[in-house]
Amino acid sequence: MYVIIGATGTVGREVIAQLRATGTAVTAVTRDAGRAQMPPGTVVLQADPAIPRIPA
C-alpha cells in the first residue's frame, strides 16, 4: 500500500498509473476528490494542507 500526496499532479499521476499497472494498492491524496480521475482500484482521499483538521 502506497499513499501518494499530490496525486493529481504531473508526477503523482504517473506514479499512481505505474503502481496500479502492477496491481499495487494505492491511496491518492488530492485537494479535490471530485475531479481526480484515477485508475480503477485507486482509493481517493480528499485533504487540503491549508485546512488543518483532526480526523475523527
Side-chain angles (χ1 to χ4, degrees), residues 1-51:
M1 161 65 97
Y2 289 89
V3 176
I4 308 300
I5 298 171
T8 56
T10 304
V11 174
R13 190 175 298 278
E14 183 62 26
V15 168
I16 289 171
Q18 289 187 25
L19 287 169
R20 288 302 304 140
T22 65
T24 303
V26 176
T27 298
V29 181
T30 181
R31 281 182 256 172
D32 187 355
R35 68 181 189 120
Q37 297 178 359
M38 296 289 127
T42 304
V43 176
V44 178
L45 174 66
Q46 184 167 324
D48 188 341
I51 306 171

